[in-house]
């Protein structure tokens, strides 16, 4: 066994079916009594229902959570926090809502109860990404780690099949990069492989039957496992590219992860053979890159940047941004090779 360092993250996880009923209990356990519920505009009705469920524990609903966590939205939400005197936030939704909850916590230290409805995995990390002036930046701080995560499998049963696949691929990306991170350690590597395998076996079943409760449970567990991996170790070229494409070119988050991941894995294949073997084994695939690509392609997910809003003319600028301040990566960041990576992702070439 090689020497390693592992920092466990302090958070409480409640996982199961029907666990939404426990939100009030968790708010009280935090010593809070003035919860501001957060959602996106699309999930406003679910947020209103949660406000009613919380009763006197809720002081309002803010329903303008936005993809990539724009700082101007955070400022607006902070004004609402102050006006209603909130002493905690309850984020109900996917990565956009969870990101807003984290942004509020970054500025206020308010405790967070998070109820994920997708497989984004952000809830399990002390990482926040924010967008300002067309650039997305990230930082890691325990101030944004949610105190409580409530996983209710029932809330994911209505997640559309294609959104399920892209959200699941987003989660897999967290575990993939954890396997070849400079901070990789045996505990996280085992959890990463388990998370990839759980989502890899769940997605085909959910695609065939979106109401398969056992498969939904596997996928949600896998999302948590993959999120924990991202929270414990560092990010590499895949996340840098996705942050660039999302923050600077406004591409949709989960879809961007889905398209870029197999090509980022192909880029790092020779530099991280042990990680690639684990990924391929978890997916039951010939190679890691092809296993990831095929999992998306066979289940209706986008496989080309061209199909999710990227313009070919913007690829050069994306390369410039991504290479100007790169994350650590097992293979050196070479602009010409990154250009080829993005060209392949733009056209949807199978690795």
């Amino acid at each position: 066994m090689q020497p390693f360092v592992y920092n466990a993250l302090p958070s409480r996880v409640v996982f199961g079916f029907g666990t939404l009923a426990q939100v009030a209990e968790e708010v009280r356990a935090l010593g809070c009594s003035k919860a501001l519920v957060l959602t996106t505009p699309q999930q406003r009705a679910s947020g209103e229902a949660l406000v009613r469920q919380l009763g006197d524990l809720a002081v309002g609903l803010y329903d303008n959570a936005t993809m990539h966590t724009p700082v101007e939205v955070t400022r607006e939400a902070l004004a609402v926090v102050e006006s209603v005197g909130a002493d905690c936030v309850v984020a109900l939704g996917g990565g956009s809502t969870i990101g807003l909850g984290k942004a509020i916590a970054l500025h206020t230290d308010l405790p967070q109860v998070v109820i994920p409805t997708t497989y984004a995995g952000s809830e399990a990390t002390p990482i926040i990404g924010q967008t300002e002036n067309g650039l997305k930046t990230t930082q890691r701080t325990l101030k944004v780690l949610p105190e409580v995560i409530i996983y209710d499998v029932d809330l994911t049963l209505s997640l559309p099949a294609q959104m399920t696949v892209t959200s699941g691929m987003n989660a897999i990306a967290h575990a993939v990069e954890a396997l070849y991170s400079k901070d990789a350690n045996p505990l996280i590597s085992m959890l990463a492989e388990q998370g990839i395998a759980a989502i890899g076996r769940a997605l085909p079943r959910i695609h065939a039957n979106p109401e398969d409760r056992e498969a939904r449970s596997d996928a949600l567990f896998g999302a948590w496992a993959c999120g924990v991996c991202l929270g414990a170790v560092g990010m590499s070229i895949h996340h840098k590219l996705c942050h660039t494409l999302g923050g600077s070119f406004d591409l949709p988050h989960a879809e961007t992860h889905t398209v870029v991941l197999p090509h980022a894995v192909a880029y790092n294949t020779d530099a991280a053979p042990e990680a690639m073997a684990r990924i391929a084994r978890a997916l039951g695939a010939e190679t890691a890159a092809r296993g990831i690509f095929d999992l998306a392609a066979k289940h209706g997910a986008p496989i080309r940047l061209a199909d999710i809003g990227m313009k070919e003319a913007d690829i050069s600028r994306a390369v410039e941004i991504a290479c100007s301040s790169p994350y650590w990566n097992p293979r050196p960041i070479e602009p010409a090779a990154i250009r080829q990576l993005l060209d392949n992702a733009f056209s949807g070439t199978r690795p």
Side-chain angles (χ1 to χ4, degrees):
M1 179 64 68
Q2 297 295 318
F4 67 91
V5 174
Y6 170 57
N7 292 314
L9 297 175
S11 63
R12 173 175 167 82
V13 176
V14 179
F15 187 102
F17 294 85
T19 52
L20 185 66
Q22 300 180 40
V23 178
E25 178 183 340
E26 296 298 331
V27 168
R28 292 191 187 97
L30 289 170
C32 298
S33 59
K34 297 179 179 180
L36 178 64
V37 175
L38 308 174
T39 71
T40 60
Q42 294 78 15
Q43 290 183 295
R44 179 179 175 84
S46 297
E48 291 173 337
L50 183 54
V51 168
R52 290 193 296 271
Q53 177 184 321
L54 287 170
D56 291 343
L57 290 175
V59 291
L61 169 67
Y62 180 81
D63 66 349
N64 194 35
T66 303
M67 187 170 60
H68 304 307
T69 318
V71 294
E72 59 269 20
V73 173
T74 299
R75 294 190 193 104
E76 183 181 84
L78 286 168
V80 175
V81 167
E82 184 175 0
S83 69
V84 300
D87 61 5
C88 69
V89 294
V90 178
L92 173 65
S96 298
T97 306
I98 294 166
L100 177 60
K102 288 182 169 186
I104 291 171
L106 181 66
H107 290 277
T108 65
D109 276 334
L110 290 183
Q112 304 168 73
V113 177
V114 176
I115 310 158
T117 58
T118 70
Y119 307 120
S122 172
E123 66 278 355
T125 79
I127 300 167
I128 180 171
Q130 301 179 94
T131 303
E132 184 173 17
N133 298 325
L135 292 176
K136 187 170 185 178
T137 58
T138 63
Q139 63 176 296
R140 180 183 293 263
T141 169
L142 285 176
K143 288 180 68 175
V144 305
L145 181 70
E147 281 73 12
V148 180
I149 310 168
I150 298 178
Y151 288 109
D152 188 337
V153 181
D154 290 333
L155 297 180
T156 66
L157 295 177
S158 61
L159 191 65
Q162 182 169 340
M163 192 179 298
T164 292
V165 176
T166 56
S167 185
M169 298 300 296
N170 181 12
I172 286 175
H174 304 332
V176 163
E177 293 230 299
L179 284 168
Y180 52 66
S181 167
K182 66 178 179 179
D183 307 312
N185 64 72
L187 294 171
I188 290 300
S189 292
M190 286 189 293
L191 190 59
E193 188 171 348
Q194 188 175 10
I196 294 168
I199 296 175
R201 66 175 176 262
L203 292 185
R205 293 173 59 188
I206 295 170
H207 187 260
N209 176 17
E211 296 185 3
D212 185 327
R213 290 165 64 83
E214 183 180 349
R216 288 288 188 182
S217 182
D218 275 353
L220 198 56
F221 166 78
W224 170 77
C226 294
V228 169
C229 294
L230 178 66
V233 298
M235 296 177 285
S236 297
I237 186 58
H238 169 77
H239 280 85
K240 182 63 180 183
L241 289 173
C242 291
H243 293 161
T244 297
L245 295 173
S248 298
F249 303 96
D250 201 32
L251 298 195
H253 184 82
E255 289 84 350
T256 302
H257 277 275
T258 301
V259 174
V260 171
L261 183 59
H263 304 287
V265 167
Y267 184 91
N268 282 326
T269 292
D270 292 339
E274 182 178 344
M276 300 305 158
R278 281 182 175 268
I279 297 163
R281 181 169 63 229
L283 294 175
E286 172 191 3
T287 70
R290 288 182 176 176
I292 293 167
F293 183 91
D294 292 345
L295 183 61
K298 289 178 180 178
H299 299 102
I303 58 170
R304 305 193 321 150
L305 289 177
D307 293 335
I308 62 171
M310 188 67 182
K311 298 176 181 177
E312 189 170 13
D314 288 334
I315 294 178
S316 295
R317 175 61 178 152
V319 172
E320 181 183 344
I321 295 170
C323 294
S324 65
S325 57
Y327 301 159
W328 182 91
N329 193 67
R331 174 182 168 181
I333 302 302
E334 302 159 349
I338 296 300
R339 171 71 200 220
Q340 185 61 57
L341 186 167
L342 288 178
D343 283 341
N344 290 338
F346 183 82
S347 61
T349 303
R350 185 173 185 255

